[in-house]
Amino acid sequence: MRERGKAVQSSVDDRYTQWKSLVPVLYDWLANHNLVWPSLSCRWGPQLEQATYKNRQRLYLSEQTDGSVPNTLVIANCEVVKPRVAAAEHISQFNEEARSPFVKKFKTIIHPGEVNRIRELPQNSKIVATHTDSPDVLIWDVEAQPNRHAVLGAADSHPDLVLTGHQENAEFALAMCPSDPCVLSGGKDKLVVLWSIQDHISTLAESAAKSPATPATSSGKQPAKAGHEKSSDSPTVGPRGVYQGHEDTVEDVQFCPSSAQEFCSVGDDACLILWDARAGTSPAIKVEKAHNADLHCVDWNPHDENLILTGSADNSVRMFDRRNLTSGGVGTPVYKFEGHKAAVLCVQWSPDRSSVFGSAAEDGFLNVWDHEKVGKKKERGGTRMPNSPPGLFFQHAGHRDKVVDFHWNACDPWTIVSVSDDGESTGGGGTLQIWRMSDLLYRPEAEVLAELENFKSHILTCTPKS
């Protein structure tokens, strides 16, 4: 077994070395940040500032500790370098064992229990929800929360709101609605739970404006440990709806982009369920066998609301059209994307192009796909590589173990933050990478060829006359 482990590590190292040599060619920009502790979630927050060569933006991360210090929700500031600014030699000369100068910790919130998932509210991205190892969903106003020093024995920060309604732990399935201030969650109790935080958002904003935040310890009240009891000074909100239809743990949930009444969920029962709150608490459509194994993730296309992506432990991503979901209870996907060699953990549509999406998996790859390229014989640069799956047009291989989360940046086009749990191979707690592929890979072919032709002409004019 030990020899096999060495062989696997050697293969990962070889793959990584090859990837690193190609960074100057494949990427417009890349920042590598070695984490002290593993993080299971990474999300973009609001953009703070725009400058000539870079933009500053909030970044939300978690720290999963070993208990020697508390678990935390981290608010960082990230400098996002603009396209065609970074020099190729600079982006390839990063130190794997160092923190990136582009990522700086801004604030730490001591989280009651581990942080399994973070989601920001689209209408106000300084409001975030977290899932922990308890039945409750915690809501935080990250700007109003006090900065805390994470030392052993420090009292937990108080969430601004606690959402109750689950009967067992709800650890991963979490979503915020794009159209209304609503929160959706799924858990081990096989339930999907919906809340509205409309009234509380305005209350949070008003209370933050009236009084500066003070450390949670100053109230004299000891907050709950590990999130299993509600903190006495955190208001609670009960559910607007509880939906039953899954037969095993609900692993992910997602709202329809234009409606707080329509949403979907996936779970360990291999089902994809579509719900319509206007029609009651039973499934509107239930796809009994969407994949051949547990489903881990789901996303709904913000540009085309008929298209839904699912990712599974069967190593595949499937694209469904909600107008044609089932045949005899078995899922009939529009297409199966089969390029990963291990369970798919995260899928997300690109905000920049309706046909593009990313998928991250336990094989350490983050694949970027374009479903419009499927079935086209000619792809960029002639025919597609024979061993490349249809639709795959970029593979990010900068992580050396499972990629647990990633998030497209809605403010800086084609920019992605991704995080991997690869502490053993990197000498840290994990790796956070912020990257953007070269625009030569996704711009229209005619435009790219014209630019390369101009570049060739420029080179010829630069050569010394004999």
Side-chain angles (χ1 to χ4, degrees):
M1 277 298 282
R2 190 176 295 170
E3 289 304 314
R4 188 178 165 203
K6 280 183 185 171
V8 169
Q9 189 56 51
S10 170
S11 140
V12 169
D13 290 343
D14 290 347
R15 183 187 89 185
Y16 179 77
T17 303
Q18 182 184 15
W19 167 80
K20 199 171 177 187
S21 70
L22 293 171
V23 165
V25 181
L26 296 177
Y27 294 82
D28 177 68
W29 181 58
L30 181 132
N32 187 93
H33 188 72
N34 186 273
L35 298 167
V36 178
W37 297 105
S39 178
L40 291 186
S41 202
C42 58
R43 301 293 289 185
W44 292 108
Q47 193 174 69
L48 305 174
E49 186 185 333
Q50 291 187 332
T52 309
Y53 298 112
K54 56 190 177 184
N55 300 324
R56 179 177 293 152
Q57 192 167 350
R58 288 275 195 261
L59 191 61
Y60 304 135
L61 303 165
S62 62
E63 289 184 320
Q64 308 282 109
T65 70
D66 59 1
S68 59
V69 292
N71 290 291
T72 62
L73 173 62
V74 175
I75 295 93
N77 285 339
C78 179
E79 305 283 348
V80 181
V81 174
K82 288 190 174 183
R84 302 209 166 195
V85 169
E89 60 270 20
H90 287 167
I91 63 169
S92 60
Q93 289 172 354
F94 61 84
N95 178 358
E96 284 88 351
E97 294 171 16
R99 318 275 173 264
S100 168
F102 295 102
V103 180
K104 292 200 166 54
K105 194 179 279 192
F106 170 73
K107 184 185 282 189
T108 301
I109 293 168
I110 298 181
H111 197 273
E114 59 193 35
V115 186
N116 295 323
R117 192 152 286 180
I118 306 164
R119 290 292 180 264
E120 71 294 340
L121 188 67
Q123 300 83 20
N124 183 351
S125 55
K126 69 186 179 73
I127 306 292
V128 304
T130 55
H131 252 330
T132 182
D133 45 354
S134 90
D136 299 330
V137 177
L138 308 182
I139 303 291
W140 308 87
D141 181 337
V142 295
E143 296 300 318
Q145 281 284 333
N147 187 20
R148 303 290 306 287
H149 191 46
V151 293
L152 188 61
D156 295 333
S157 297
H158 290 280
D160 293 279
L161 202 57
V162 177
L163 308 185
T164 63
H166 275 295
Q167 296 166 13
E168 292 182 54
N169 286 2
E171 297 179 353
F172 292 104
L174 184 62
M176 298 283 224
C177 179
S179 62
D180 298 271
C182 292
V183 182
L184 195 62
S185 166
K188 289 186 175 177
D189 54 10
K190 308 170 192 172
L191 301 176
V192 173
V193 185
L194 172 70
W195 297 267
S196 170
I197 54 172
Q198 174 76 52
D199 301 334
H200 295 271
I201 290 299
S202 48
T203 312
L204 290 178
E206 282 167 21
S207 60
K210 282 178 191 168
S211 61
T214 52
T217 48
S218 66
S219 66
K221 297 174 185 174
Q222 281 302 309
K225 286 287 172 198
H228 295 290
E229 299 167 40
K230 283 169 259 319
S231 173
S232 54
D233 55 358
S234 294
T236 63
V237 174
R240 181 168 276 194
V242 178
Y243 303 87
Q244 297 184 328
H246 281 285
E247 288 160 28
D248 206 335
T249 300
V250 180
E251 291 285 355
D252 201 12
V253 288
Q254 192 56 257
F255 281 97
C256 171
S258 64
S259 169
Q261 307 294 325
E262 295 177 83
F263 39 90
C264 62
S265 58
V266 296
D268 290 345
D269 54 4
C271 291
L272 162 66
I273 299 181
L274 269 62
W275 310 85
D276 188 334
R278 295 162 298 196
T281 58
S282 298
I285 301 173
K286 184 171 182 178
V287 183
E288 295 280 357
K289 198 171 182 189
H291 282 257
N292 302 322
D294 299 1
L295 272 74
H296 292 321
C297 48
V298 64
D299 197 29
W300 205 313
N301 193 322
H303 307 280
D304 180 349
E305 291 181 5
N306 290 314
L307 299 181
I308 294 171
L309 289 173
T310 55
S312 167
D314 67 7
N315 308 352
S316 77
V317 175
R318 296 187 180 185
M319 183 172 75
F320 291 93
D321 186 322
R322 70 166 166 172
R323 296 165 297 187
N324 179 29
L325 277 172
T326 58
S327 170
V330 176
T332 49
V334 178
Y335 197 76
K336 300 176 186 177
F337 298 89
E338 297 176 319
H340 285 291
K341 295 182 174 62
V344 178
L345 301 178
C346 183
V347 290
Q348 196 202 349
W349 290 101
S350 164
D352 305 306
R353 188 175 293 174
S354 61
S355 59
V356 170
F357 65 90
S359 63
E362 289 184 356
D363 58 9
F365 287 111
L366 200 166
N367 290 341
V368 180
W369 309 80
D370 186 342
H371 73 76
E372 286 185 349
K373 290 185 183 294
V374 172
K376 291 188 179 176
K377 288 182 181 174
K378 191 177 177 186
E379 294 187 17
R380 173 69 50 83
T383 53
R384 183 171 48 82
M385 293 291 287
N387 58 350
S388 169
L392 179 66
F393 84 96
F394 190 83
Q395 190 166 58
H396 178 64
H399 293 287
R400 285 172 280 178
D401 210 327
K402 58 185 176 185
V403 182
V404 290
D405 200 13
F406 76 95
H407 192 199
W408 292 89
N409 192 329
C411 301
D412 271 291
W414 292 89
T415 304
I416 289 176
V417 59
S418 52
V419 69
S420 53
D421 187 1
D422 53 9
E424 288 182 19
S425 52
T426 60
T431 303
L432 178 84
Q433 290 181 337
I434 302 146
W435 52 275
R436 182 171 52 238
M437 68 180 84
S438 166
D439 61 15
L440 298 176
L441 298 172
Y442 59 77
R443 279 168 46 217
E445 188 168 348
E447 200 180 290
V448 170
L449 291 173
E451 182 181 327
L452 293 175
E453 192 60 40
N454 288 341
F455 184 67
K456 180 175 152 190
S457 310
H458 174 69
I459 295 290
L460 292 173
T461 61
C462 292
T463 51
K465 305 272 191 295
S466 52

